[in-house]
Short mmCIF file of all heavy atoms in Angstrom, two decimals:
data_model
loop_
_atom_site.label_atom_id
_atom_site.label_comp_id
_atom_site.label_asym_id
_atom_site.label_seq_id
_atom_site.Cartn_x
_atom_site.Cartn_y
_atom_site.Cartn_z
N LEU A 1 80.09 126.48 173.16
CA LEU A 1 80.33 127.45 172.12
C LEU A 1 79.31 128.57 172.31
O LEU A 1 78.14 128.31 172.35
CB LEU A 1 80.13 126.83 170.73
CG LEU A 1 81.10 125.71 170.35
CD1 LEU A 1 80.59 124.98 169.13
CD2 LEU A 1 82.45 126.29 170.09
N LEU A 2 79.78 129.79 172.41
CA LEU A 2 78.88 130.91 172.66
C LEU A 2 78.78 131.72 171.39
O LEU A 2 79.74 132.29 170.94
CB LEU A 2 79.41 131.77 173.80
CG LEU A 2 78.47 132.86 174.28
CD1 LEU A 2 77.21 132.29 174.85
CD2 LEU A 2 79.17 133.76 175.25
N ILE A 3 77.58 131.79 170.79
CA ILE A 3 77.43 132.49 169.53
C ILE A 3 76.34 133.53 169.66
O ILE A 3 75.25 133.25 170.10
CB ILE A 3 77.10 131.53 168.38
CG1 ILE A 3 78.31 130.63 168.16
CG2 ILE A 3 76.76 132.28 167.13
CD1 ILE A 3 78.23 129.82 166.92
N GLY A 4 76.64 134.78 169.29
CA GLY A 4 75.67 135.85 169.33
C GLY A 4 75.67 136.60 168.03
O GLY A 4 76.46 136.32 167.16
N CYS A 5 74.84 137.57 167.90
CA CYS A 5 74.72 138.34 166.66
C CYS A 5 75.48 139.64 166.81
O CYS A 5 75.21 140.43 167.71
CB CYS A 5 73.26 138.62 166.36
SG CYS A 5 73.04 139.76 165.00
N ASP A 6 76.45 139.87 165.90
CA ASP A 6 77.23 141.11 165.90
C ASP A 6 77.88 141.37 167.25
O ASP A 6 78.11 142.51 167.64
CB ASP A 6 76.35 142.29 165.50
CG ASP A 6 75.80 142.12 164.09
OD1 ASP A 6 76.50 141.55 163.26
OD2 ASP A 6 74.67 142.56 163.86
N GLY A 7 78.16 140.30 167.99
CA GLY A 7 78.90 140.42 169.22
C GLY A 7 78.12 141.00 170.37
O GLY A 7 78.70 141.37 171.38
N THR A 8 76.79 141.11 170.28
CA THR A 8 76.06 141.80 171.33
C THR A 8 75.00 140.94 172.00
O THR A 8 74.84 140.99 173.20
CB THR A 8 75.36 143.05 170.77
OG1 THR A 8 74.49 142.67 169.71
CG2 THR A 8 76.39 144.03 170.24
N GLN A 9 74.25 140.14 171.25
CA GLN A 9 73.10 139.44 171.82
C GLN A 9 73.27 137.93 171.71
O GLN A 9 73.67 137.43 170.67
CB GLN A 9 71.82 139.84 171.08
CG GLN A 9 71.52 141.33 171.14
CD GLN A 9 70.26 141.66 170.37
OE1 GLN A 9 69.28 140.93 170.45
NE2 GLN A 9 70.28 142.74 169.65
N PRO A 10 72.98 137.20 172.78
CA PRO A 10 73.06 135.74 172.70
C PRO A 10 71.94 135.17 171.86
O PRO A 10 70.87 135.75 171.77
CB PRO A 10 72.92 135.31 174.17
CG PRO A 10 72.12 136.40 174.79
CD PRO A 10 72.53 137.67 174.09
N LEU A 11 72.20 134.05 171.25
CA LEU A 11 71.16 133.37 170.48
C LEU A 11 70.36 132.44 171.38
O LEU A 11 70.87 131.88 172.33
CB LEU A 11 71.79 132.55 169.35
CG LEU A 11 72.51 133.33 168.27
CD1 LEU A 11 72.98 132.38 167.19
CD2 LEU A 11 71.62 134.39 167.66
N ASP A 12 69.09 132.26 171.03
CA ASP A 12 68.23 131.32 171.74
C ASP A 12 68.42 129.94 171.13
O ASP A 12 68.12 129.74 169.96
CB ASP A 12 66.77 131.78 171.58
CG ASP A 12 65.79 130.80 172.16
OD1 ASP A 12 66.22 129.78 172.73
OD2 ASP A 12 64.59 131.06 172.05
N PHE A 13 68.96 129.00 171.88
CA PHE A 13 69.23 127.69 171.30
C PHE A 13 68.24 126.63 171.74
O PHE A 13 68.54 125.45 171.75
CB PHE A 13 70.67 127.23 171.59
CG PHE A 13 71.01 127.07 173.05
CD1 PHE A 13 70.84 125.86 173.69
CD2 PHE A 13 71.53 128.13 173.76
CE1 PHE A 13 71.16 125.71 175.02
CE2 PHE A 13 71.85 127.99 175.08
CZ PHE A 13 71.68 126.78 175.72
N GLY A 14 67.04 127.03 172.12
CA GLY A 14 66.00 126.04 172.31
C GLY A 14 65.61 125.79 173.74
O GLY A 14 65.36 124.65 174.13
N THR A 15 65.55 126.82 174.58
CA THR A 15 65.04 126.65 175.93
C THR A 15 63.61 126.13 175.87
O THR A 15 62.81 126.65 175.12
CB THR A 15 65.06 127.98 176.70
OG1 THR A 15 66.40 128.45 176.74
CG2 THR A 15 64.54 127.81 178.11
N PRO A 16 63.27 125.09 176.63
CA PRO A 16 61.91 124.57 176.57
C PRO A 16 60.87 125.67 176.75
O PRO A 16 60.93 126.43 177.72
CB PRO A 16 61.87 123.56 177.74
CG PRO A 16 63.28 123.14 177.90
CD PRO A 16 64.10 124.36 177.58
N PRO A 17 59.94 125.82 175.81
CA PRO A 17 59.01 126.95 175.85
C PRO A 17 57.94 126.78 176.92
O PRO A 17 57.53 125.65 177.23
CB PRO A 17 58.37 126.91 174.46
CG PRO A 17 58.47 125.48 174.06
CD PRO A 17 59.75 124.97 174.63
N PRO A 18 57.47 127.88 177.51
CA PRO A 18 56.35 127.78 178.44
C PRO A 18 55.06 127.46 177.69
O PRO A 18 54.87 127.91 176.57
CB PRO A 18 56.28 129.19 179.05
CG PRO A 18 56.90 130.07 178.01
CD PRO A 18 57.94 129.25 177.32
N VAL A 19 54.20 126.68 178.29
CA VAL A 19 52.94 126.33 177.64
C VAL A 19 51.81 126.40 178.66
O VAL A 19 52.03 126.42 179.87
CB VAL A 19 52.98 124.90 177.04
CG1 VAL A 19 53.99 124.82 175.92
CG2 VAL A 19 53.28 123.88 178.12
N ASP A 20 50.59 126.45 178.16
CA ASP A 20 49.40 126.47 179.00
C ASP A 20 48.44 125.41 178.44
O ASP A 20 48.04 125.51 177.27
CB ASP A 20 48.75 127.85 178.97
CG ASP A 20 47.57 127.95 179.93
OD1 ASP A 20 47.50 127.11 180.86
OD2 ASP A 20 46.74 128.85 179.74
N PRO A 21 48.08 124.35 179.18
CA PRO A 21 48.42 124.15 180.60
C PRO A 21 49.89 123.76 180.78
O PRO A 21 50.53 123.35 179.82
CB PRO A 21 47.50 123.00 181.01
CG PRO A 21 47.30 122.24 179.73
CD PRO A 21 47.25 123.28 178.65
N PRO A 22 50.41 123.89 181.99
CA PRO A 22 51.82 123.59 182.23
C PRO A 22 52.16 122.15 181.86
O PRO A 22 51.32 121.24 181.95
CB PRO A 22 51.97 123.83 183.75
CG PRO A 22 50.85 124.75 184.10
CD PRO A 22 49.72 124.39 183.19
N LEU A 23 53.40 121.93 181.46
CA LEU A 23 53.86 120.58 181.14
C LEU A 23 53.98 119.74 182.41
O LEU A 23 54.25 120.26 183.49
CB LEU A 23 55.23 120.64 180.45
CG LEU A 23 55.31 121.35 179.10
CD1 LEU A 23 56.75 121.43 178.64
CD2 LEU A 23 54.45 120.64 178.07
N THR A 24 53.80 118.45 182.23
CA THR A 24 54.07 117.53 183.33
C THR A 24 55.58 117.44 183.53
O THR A 24 56.37 117.86 182.67
CB THR A 24 53.52 116.14 183.03
OG1 THR A 24 54.24 115.59 181.91
CG2 THR A 24 52.03 116.20 182.70
N GLU A 25 56.00 116.85 184.63
CA GLU A 25 57.44 116.71 184.89
C GLU A 25 58.10 115.87 183.80
O GLU A 25 59.21 116.19 183.34
CB GLU A 25 57.64 116.05 186.26
CG GLU A 25 59.11 115.89 186.64
CD GLU A 25 59.29 115.32 188.04
OE1 GLU A 25 58.28 115.23 188.77
OE2 GLU A 25 60.43 114.97 188.39
N GLU A 26 57.41 114.82 183.34
CA GLU A 26 57.96 113.99 182.27
C GLU A 26 58.08 114.78 180.97
O GLU A 26 59.09 114.67 180.25
CB GLU A 26 57.08 112.77 182.06
CG GLU A 26 57.60 111.81 180.99
CD GLU A 26 56.73 110.59 180.81
OE1 GLU A 26 55.71 110.47 181.53
OE2 GLU A 26 57.06 109.74 179.95
N GLU A 27 57.08 115.59 180.65
CA GLU A 27 57.12 116.40 179.43
C GLU A 27 58.23 117.45 179.51
O GLU A 27 58.89 117.73 178.50
CB GLU A 27 55.77 117.06 179.21
CG GLU A 27 54.67 116.10 178.77
CD GLU A 27 53.30 116.74 178.77
OE1 GLU A 27 53.07 117.69 179.55
OE2 GLU A 27 52.44 116.29 177.98
N VAL A 28 58.44 118.03 180.67
CA VAL A 28 59.52 118.99 180.85
C VAL A 28 60.86 118.32 180.56
O VAL A 28 61.73 118.88 179.88
CB VAL A 28 59.50 119.59 182.27
CG1 VAL A 28 60.78 120.38 182.55
CG2 VAL A 28 58.29 120.49 182.44
N GLU A 29 61.05 117.12 181.07
CA GLU A 29 62.29 116.39 180.84
C GLU A 29 62.47 116.07 179.35
O GLU A 29 63.58 116.17 178.81
CB GLU A 29 62.30 115.10 181.67
CG GLU A 29 62.40 115.34 183.17
CD GLU A 29 62.32 114.06 183.97
OE1 GLU A 29 62.09 113.00 183.35
OE2 GLU A 29 62.50 114.10 185.20
N GLU A 30 61.39 115.69 178.69
CA GLU A 30 61.46 115.39 177.26
C GLU A 30 61.84 116.64 176.46
O GLU A 30 62.68 116.58 175.55
CB GLU A 30 60.12 114.84 176.78
CG GLU A 30 59.79 113.45 177.30
CD GLU A 30 58.41 112.99 176.89
OE1 GLU A 30 57.65 113.82 176.33
OE2 GLU A 30 58.07 111.82 177.13
N GLN A 31 61.22 117.78 176.79
CA GLN A 31 61.52 119.02 176.09
C GLN A 31 62.97 119.45 176.34
O GLN A 31 63.66 119.91 175.43
CB GLN A 31 60.57 120.12 176.54
CG GLN A 31 59.11 119.90 176.16
CD GLN A 31 58.84 120.30 174.72
OE1 GLN A 31 58.63 121.47 174.43
NE2 GLN A 31 58.83 119.33 173.83
N ALA A 32 63.44 119.29 177.57
CA ALA A 32 64.82 119.64 177.88
C ALA A 32 65.79 118.76 177.12
O ALA A 32 66.84 119.22 176.64
CB ALA A 32 65.06 119.51 179.39
N ALA A 33 65.45 117.48 176.96
CA ALA A 33 66.31 116.57 176.21
C ALA A 33 66.37 116.96 174.74
O ALA A 33 67.43 116.90 174.11
CB ALA A 33 65.80 115.13 176.35
N ILE A 34 65.24 117.37 174.16
CA ILE A 34 65.23 117.82 172.77
C ILE A 34 66.07 119.07 172.61
O ILE A 34 66.88 119.19 171.68
CB ILE A 34 63.79 118.07 172.29
CG1 ILE A 34 63.02 116.75 172.22
CG2 ILE A 34 63.79 118.75 170.91
CD1 ILE A 34 61.55 116.91 171.88
#
């Protein structure tokens, strides 16, 4: 389902955020699952 605002911009539905220090591979997988 593709939902945007006023037909122009896509909504952010929870891409895993960048962090410092970088996430471990396991943490990346956990964030992607959430």
Side-chain angles (χ1 to χ4, degrees):
L1 295 167
L2 188 63
I3 294 190
C5 172
D6 299 326
T8 58
Q9 301 179 41
L11 295 184
D12 174 2
F13 61 91
T15 300
V19 295
D20 185 20
L23 296 175
T24 65
E25 182 176 350
E26 182 179 359
E27 288 171 333
V28 169
E29 292 176 354
E30 290 175 352
Q31 294 279 278
I34 293 175

